[in-house]
Amino acid sequence: MKVDVEFKQFVFDGLVPALQTGEVDMVIAGMTIRGDRALAVGMSDPYYKTGQAIMVPAANKDIKSWEELDVKGKKIAVGVGTTGALLAKSQFKNAEVVDFEDFPLAATAMGSGQADAVVYDEPAIAVWRLEHEGQVHQMEGLLSAENLGIAVKKNDFETLQWLNSFLHGYIDSPQELESRTRWFEESDWLTKVTED
C-alpha cells in the first residue's frame, strides 16, 4: 500500500471498538469472518483457512478427543471475546470454561496447572508449540473450520477492494506458501523476536 505502518496491540475484544473509533485503520489479528462482525465492520475475503484447536500439556498427550476434557472438575482456558471462547462455551457442557484476557495468559495458566486445556486459533497454538517445544501438545483435528479476514471500517469499500485484489494474487502464491512454512513450521525467527 506504500504507507508507513504503526502497529498497535489490543485485547481481542477491544479490536472492533478501536476500528470503529478510528484508533486503528485495519485489524489483522486472526479475526474470523462472521455475519455479526460484518454488521459492525468491513471484512475482507479470507486470507487464511484455519479452525479452533485444543492444546494440552505434553504430559496429557494421550487425550484424543475434546469429550475426554468435558468432565466436571476440568478447566478449559480461552481468550475473552474470541471465536474459541464462543465455541468452547457452547460445546463444553461439564468442564468449566475460563476467560483470560488473551491467548498467552490462557496458555500460561494451563502451563501453571490453572487449566487443563486451551481452545484457540490453530496458528497461535502452532507458534506456542514452537516456543514451548516439548511442554505442550496440540490435539489432532480441529473443533471448527474458519476463515480469517482483515477488518476495516464499515463501508470503506475502497480499502476492501484493494485488500481483496491483493489477496486474490497472494493466496497460494509461492510467497504465501513460503510465509506459512517460515512462521508455522520453523522456529529460527523466535530468537530474533525475543532479542528485539
Side-chain angles (χ1 to χ4, degrees):
M1 293 182 81
K2 298 180 181 175
V3 296
D4 292 328
V5 178
E6 179 186 355
F7 294 98
K8 293 185 173 184
Q9 188 168 338
F10 291 84
V11 175
F12 194 84
D13 64 353
L15 292 171
V16 168
L19 191 57
Q20 291 172 323
T21 61
E23 272 190 85
V24 297
D25 301 298
M26 192 176 293
V27 173
I28 308 175
M31 187 172 283
T32 301
I33 299 169
R34 295 192 332 231
D36 61 326
R37 286 187 178 142
L39 294 173
V41 298
M43 294 294 299
S44 74
D45 290 341
Y47 69 84
Y48 195 78
K49 294 179 188 301
T50 187
Q52 297 301 311
I54 299 176
M55 181 174 70
V56 296
N60 296 338
K61 64 182 175 184
D62 56 329
I63 296 174
K64 300 294 182 202
S65 71
W66 70 269
E67 291 93 345
E68 292 178 59
L69 293 165
D70 191 22
V71 295
K72 191 171 181 165
K74 297 279 187 191
K75 292 184 179 180
I76 311 301
V78 296
V80 67
T82 63
T83 305
L86 293 173
L87 179 66
K89 289 173 184 178
S90 70
Q91 195 155 341
F92 289 88
K93 303 296 183 196
N94 301 303
E96 179 186 356
V97 177
V98 183
D99 286 306
F100 288 88
E101 189 172 299
D102 57 26
F103 170 68
L105 287 175
T108 301
M110 184 196 75
S112 67
Q114 296 173 52
D116 300 284
V118 176
V119 174
Y120 207 80
D121 291 336
E122 192 276 332
I125 287 178
V127 171
W128 193 267
R129 269 192 358 254
L130 289 174
E131 291 176 306
H132 301 87
E133 192 173 346
Q135 298 172 32
V136 297
H137 171 73
Q138 179 182 326
M139 290 173 51
E140 218 171 290
L142 298 174
L143 291 174
S144 66
E146 300 175 13
N147 290 306
L148 305 182
I150 300 167
V152 298
K153 275 194 172 178
K154 190 175 173 110
N155 299 324
D156 184 355
F157 300 115
E158 186 177 348
T159 303
L160 279 178
Q161 182 177 9
W162 186 93
L163 286 168
N164 290 336
S165 298
F166 169 79
L167 290 171
H168 283 290
Y170 180 69
I171 300 301
D172 293 326
S173 69
Q175 295 88 352
E176 196 251 347
L177 297 175
E178 182 182 317
S179 179
R180 284 190 214 176
T181 300
R182 171 150 176 75
W183 297 107
F184 299 132
E185 296 173 23
E186 299 172 357
S187 61
D188 61 325
W189 61 269
L190 287 169
T191 306
K192 183 171 177 17
V193 170
T194 55
E195 288 173 354
D196 292 343

